[in-house]
Amino acid sequence: MKAQSIKGIAFDLDGTLIDSVPDLAAATQGMLAELALPLCDEEQVRSWVGNGAAKLVERALTFARGEAATQADIDAAMPLFSKHYEANLQQHSRLYDGVKSVLEQLAALGYQLAIVTNKPYRFTVPLLEAFGIDHLFNQVLGGDSLEKMKPDPLPLTHLKQAWQLDEEQLLMVGDSRNDIFAAKAAGISSIGLTYGYNYGEDIGLSGPTAVCNTFKEVLAQITDSQIVLEQ
C-alpha cells in the first residue's frame, strides 16, 4: 500500500501525542496514599500504562499489596484514582515535540484525524482541549467509548466504517504493542513510535509497518509518496 492511499489516520494519545505519566503517577500515588498502601514511583507507572485506567489501578494495587488485586479491590480504588487524576489531569503532562505542528499540517492537507485511546473518554477530551488540539480531530474514541478497546480491532473497524474507508486508506500511529496488534487485527497499516510507553519492549518487535523515532518523522512517512507501507 502506498502512502498516498491514506485518507484517515488514527492516533493513540498517551505516549504518542502526550507524555501524561507525571500526572498519572500523581493520581496513582494519591490513590495509594488514601488506601494507606506503599507508594509507587513515576517510572513504575510508566511501565504500567497502556491498557486503560482499570488495568493501571490493578497493577498499582498488585504492586502495593504484594498480591494479585481482586476485582473488588479495583472497583473500590477506581473512584479514588479518578478523583486524583481529575485534579491532576494537566498539571505536568506535555505534548511531545512536533505534535501540534504535524497534526496541523496533516489536517491542512485534508487527512481525517482521530484519537483512538484506551484512556477513559471523560479524561481524553479535556486533555485535547487543554493543549489546543481538540479541533483537529474528526473522531475521538476513548477506552470506554465502545464495547472493546485496543488491542481489540473494534475501535479501528468502527472508525473505518464511520469514515467509509478501505483497509489501505486507514493508518494507526501509536507507541504500544496494543496499537500495532489492533491495527494488524483490523487489517490496516501502522507506524510504531519508539519513545512512548511499551512496557520496556522495542516497538519494532510487534511488527509495525514502519517505525519512527520522533513524531516529526510521521509526517514524512505519511506524505512522502515514494514510501511504500507494506501490510
Side-chain angles (χ1 to χ4, degrees):
M1 179 184 79
K2 288 188 179 298
Q4 65 262 34
S5 300
I6 298 167
K7 296 184 181 299
I9 309 165
F11 292 95
D12 176 52
L13 184 62
D14 297 320
T16 296
L17 305 184
I18 297 172
D19 182 6
S20 54
V21 162
D23 292 330
L24 287 168
T28 304
Q29 291 163 350
M31 174 194 74
L32 293 175
E34 279 207 58
L35 294 170
L37 291 172
L39 301 186
C40 59
D41 61 33
E42 186 174 306
E43 287 309 305
Q44 287 171 305
V45 173
R46 193 171 292 275
S47 71
W48 294 337
V49 172
N51 298 95
K55 182 59 72 171
L56 170 58
V57 168
E58 178 186 347
R59 288 166 175 153
L61 292 175
T62 296
F63 156 77
R65 294 184 185 278
E67 59 184 14
T70 66
Q71 189 59 50
D73 292 333
I74 298 167
D75 291 343
M78 276 300 298
L80 299 178
F81 173 82
S82 295
K83 177 185 71 174
H84 285 284
Y85 190 42
E86 195 161 21
N88 290 277
L89 189 58
Q90 208 257 310
Q91 296 296 312
H92 305 289
S93 296
R94 64 178 182 87
L95 286 179
Y96 288 107
D97 290 344
V99 164
K100 190 170 186 178
S101 172
V102 168
L103 291 175
E104 288 174 340
Q105 290 178 72
L106 290 171
L109 288 169
Y111 291 97
Q112 297 189 85
L113 308 182
I115 292 292
V116 177
T117 177
N118 285 348
K119 182 190 288 293
Y121 183 86
R122 64 178 282 209
F123 298 132
T124 298
V125 173
L127 266 179
L128 297 175
E129 292 174 344
F131 287 110
I133 58 174
D134 54 301
H135 65 287
L136 299 172
F137 299 99
N138 306 96
Q139 294 265 346
V140 176
L141 296 176
D144 50 359
S145 294
L146 301 171
E147 293 180 1
K148 297 179 180 179
M149 62 183 179
K150 302 173 300 183
D152 193 276
L154 179 61
L156 294 175
T157 57
H158 173 89
L159 192 60
K160 185 174 61 177
Q161 291 166 3
W163 284 346
Q164 299 183 330
L165 299 180
D166 296 327
E167 282 79 2
E168 68 271 11
Q169 295 176 314
L170 182 61
L171 174 72
M172 178 74 215
V173 179
D175 65 299
S176 166
R177 62 190 183 216
N178 294 321
D179 304 309
I180 309 308
F181 293 162
K184 287 184 174 182
I188 69 172
S189 295
S190 61
I191 292 177
L193 299 166
T194 61
Y195 57 75
Y197 322 140
N198 193 34
Y199 318 104
E201 183 179 288
D202 180 354
I203 191 67
L205 296 177
S206 298
T209 311
V211 174
C212 291
N213 296 315
T214 70
F215 197 79
K216 292 178 181 178
E217 292 176 25
V218 172
L219 183 64
Q221 286 282 0
I222 294 170
T223 60
D224 187 346
S225 62
Q226 301 306 307
I227 292 178
V228 178
L229 300 178
E230 300 285 349
Q231 283 193 323

